[in-house]
Amino acid sequence: MTNKKIELLAPAGDIEKLKTAIIYGADAVYFGGELFSLRAGAGNLSIDEIKEAMEFIHEHDAKGYMTINIYPHNDDIPPLKAYLEKIKDIPIDAFLVSDPGVMTIVKGIIPDAEIHISTQANTTNYMTAAFWVEQMGAKRIVAAREMSLEELREMKKVLPPDTEIEAFVHGAMCMSYSGRCLLSNFMVGRDANRGSCTHPCRWKYSLVEEKRPGEYYPVEEDNRGSYIMNSRDLCMLDKLPDLIDAGISSLKIEGRMKSPFYVATVVSAYRAALDEYLEDPDNYTFQEKWYKELCKASHREFYHGFYYSKPDSSGQNYSSSDYTREYSFIGVVRGYEPDSGLTIVEQRNKFCVGEDIEVFGPSTDYTDEIVREMYDENNNPIESAPHPQQIIKVKLSKTYPSDFILRKKKES
């Protein structure tokens, strides 16, 4: 077993996703408040929820990092200061920032705050990293997605030994440097650098000639068209030893806007692979079952990003921006009735009596099940659960703890 501590860091778009990430094996989570986070479309956390979240996180010996990584304009400064005054006594473990002014404000109001430099600062070289660490006092650098393993290794060697490097291992990639994109602001007036990106890089485009308005010429590779800026998703599940060898101490999963099912599935797969490696690095062997589990969450086609070389056309998906969704998230276990032998489930998508499903939980393989019987809250027999977040009771072959997840394979 290695003594090296490697952190698995998961996204937390709201309080449910945050708790799911911790329960399913994350060592730390990153989340945004209702203001000043670059994921305005995520649920984000109110001040009361941040307090609840940090209590839950610390009860589970994990850490919670808050993102304040917008690039603020002048009129953002007074409310930012006021917001930080309201949260300064909450024991948040670190703040992710990308702007020197924001960093100065955070340190002024919370002097002992630990600072992590967000990927939004697009730190792509060791000189910039050294500036943040040696002159600004940052504890951790979140590397730009555009860095190679060799560049990361070189960065680690020249920085002070206690500097931590965090790098993305999984999730969506951006066609601009570390998300510094103006397309959304230009096209629909929603600023990606202030948390409101509409992802126009995923849209389908056609060409119009100046003197022929209304005549659209498709930009296409085949008859389905072409998504010319649509990057594949990053996946480094099969390459964790390479990242750790390069000096990465925090493995970051992208996806604050994804579902609890996505968070649980992805965190579980990376937790299994990371634990196996840390247990015996010299005899570690990647297991295909981890990848198969990972693919049960919605995803685009995968690649290794910039870690081994600059991506060529194989890093893009020119035919579609759709996700692969082979499984439906149908429910979460909320309890068990010993007298009736029924599992209490909070429904998320419709399922019916007689269907084949899978049940999985933290640090376990999934179990195949058949929905044998189903009842509503008043113990009336029902054939299906059609209402979102409906509480139902289900007859299964085994007893499952709370927070286990039910899923079913979609019909092809």
Side-chain angles (χ1 to χ4, degrees):
M1 179 183 290
T2 179
N3 292 322
K4 183 181 286 188
K5 175 62 177 175
I6 305 298
E7 178 183 87
L8 182 60
L9 176 58
D14 59 28
I15 194 73
E16 181 186 18
K17 297 171 194 176
L18 184 148
K19 292 181 177 180
T20 299
I22 297 296
I23 290 167
Y24 277 78
D27 298 303
V29 292
Y30 61 102
F31 59 87
E34 293 173 306
L35 302 170
F36 312 114
S37 165
L38 275 178
R39 285 293 180 270
N44 295 321
L45 277 64
S46 67
I47 292 176
D48 285 341
E49 286 175 328
I50 294 171
K51 294 175 183 177
E52 177 188 348
M54 292 311 306
E55 287 180 7
F56 181 88
I57 289 165
H58 290 157
E59 284 171 1
H60 289 78
D61 296 321
K63 291 185 176 182
Y65 309 140
M66 184 173 184
T67 59
I68 306 182
N69 55 350
I70 68 163
Y71 285 99
H73 290 239
N74 289 342
D75 57 1
D76 293 316
I77 300 300
L80 172 58
K81 291 180 177 179
Y83 183 74
L84 288 169
E85 288 286 351
K86 293 177 181 178
I87 66 169
K88 66 181 181 181
D89 294 324
I90 303 174
I92 296 165
D93 292 296
F95 294 87
L96 285 103
V97 304
S98 53
D99 180 83
V102 172
M103 185 174 183
T104 302
I105 294 168
V106 172
K107 295 292 280 186
I109 295 174
I110 313 173
D112 60 348
E114 182 173 308
I115 301 295
H116 297 176
I117 302 304
S118 169
T119 189
Q120 200 71 13
N122 61 281
T123 302
T124 57
N125 63 80
Y126 60 78
M127 288 297 294
T128 301
F131 164 78
W132 285 115
V133 173
E134 295 171 3
Q135 298 188 44
M136 299 294 288
K139 171 71 172 178
R140 177 183 294 188
I141 300 295
V142 186
R145 289 174 174 87
E146 296 77 20
M147 293 190 74
S148 69
L149 286 174
E150 191 54 44
E151 289 173 320
L152 289 166
R153 187 175 288 108
E154 186 176 10
M155 177 186 285
K156 180 63 177 177
K157 286 179 180 178
V158 302
L159 291 174
D162 61 344
T163 303
E164 299 171 353
I165 298 179
E166 176 181 309
F168 281 93
V169 295
H170 194 87
M173 296 287 280
C174 182
M175 51 78 65
S176 294
Y177 260 90
S178 296
R180 287 200 175 192
C181 180
L182 300 177
L183 275 178
S184 182
N185 204 1
F186 175 76
M187 299 181 79
V188 294
R190 289 177 56 180
D191 190 348
N193 295 299
R194 298 171 87 182
S196 299
C197 184
T198 54
H199 305 287
C201 56
R202 307 292 182 187
W203 301 348
K204 185 175 181 179
Y205 290 87
S206 296
L207 180 68
V208 177
E209 197 276 326
E210 180 181 10
K211 298 190 179 191
R212 293 175 174 81
E215 294 185 29
Y216 297 96
Y217 300 88
V219 181
E220 63 183 22
E221 296 294 319
D222 56 29
N223 59 9
R224 290 172 295 182
S226 179
Y227 297 77
I228 56 177
M229 295 176 285
N230 182 41
S231 174
R232 294 188 181 200
D233 280 0
L234 175 67
C235 177
M236 290 292 285
L237 182 66
D238 60 332
K239 300 294 184 181
L240 297 187
D242 291 353
L243 287 159
I244 295 167
D245 182 66
I248 304 306
S249 56
S250 180
L251 308 174
K252 187 171 192 173
I253 297 166
E254 182 273 341
R256 277 192 283 151
M257 296 176 69
K258 300 294 180 66
S259 71
F261 173 53
Y262 176 93
V263 172
T265 303
V266 175
V267 168
S268 290
Y270 277 88
R271 181 78 271 161
L274 182 58
D275 284 350
E276 187 87 0
Y277 172 79
L278 295 176
E279 181 67 29
D280 189 358
D282 293 335
N283 295 300
Y284 172 77
T285 301
F286 178 74
Q287 297 183 34
E288 192 65 27
K289 69 176 183 178
W290 300 329
Y291 182 76
K292 290 180 179 178
E293 277 296 293
L294 181 74
C295 290
K296 291 179 179 180
S298 64
H299 62 278
R300 300 184 182 92
E301 294 178 349
F302 291 128
Y303 77 133
H304 291 134
F306 289 75
Y307 284 121
Y308 297 97
S309 63
K310 290 185 178 180
D312 54 20
S313 59
S314 63
Q316 301 291 117
N317 184 349
Y318 294 113
S319 61
S320 172
S321 62
D322 292 341
Y323 284 92
T324 298
R325 292 184 174 94
E326 295 182 351
Y327 280 77
S328 293
F329 171 30
I330 59 174
V332 182
V333 175
R334 295 305 188 201
Y336 180 73
E337 290 185 346
D339 293 340
S340 65
L342 296 175
T343 299
I344 301 170
V345 174
E346 181 181 315
Q347 183 261 26
R348 293 304 172 90
N349 281 290
K350 183 179 178 180
F351 65 104
C352 303
V353 171
E355 286 189 313
D356 295 318
I357 65 171
E358 295 177 1
V359 183
F360 77 101
S363 304
T364 62
D365 292 330
Y366 72 87
T367 301
D368 291 313
E369 284 280 4
I370 298 174
V371 181
R372 302 168 187 273
E373 302 170 17
M374 191 184 302
Y375 302 86
D376 64 18
E377 285 187 277
N378 298 316
N379 296 314
N380 298 308
I382 53 177
E383 290 298 313
S384 67
H387 306 301
Q389 296 187 288
Q390 177 182 6
I391 299 298
I392 56 173
K393 302 174 184 180
V394 181
K395 187 73 170 181
L396 300 173
S397 67
K398 293 174 59 178
T399 303
Y400 297 96
S402 294
D403 300 310
F404 271 51
I405 285 176
L406 282 63
R407 67 191 177 201
K408 69 173 183 178
K409 189 174 179 61
K410 293 184 177 180
E411 296 181 3
S412 53

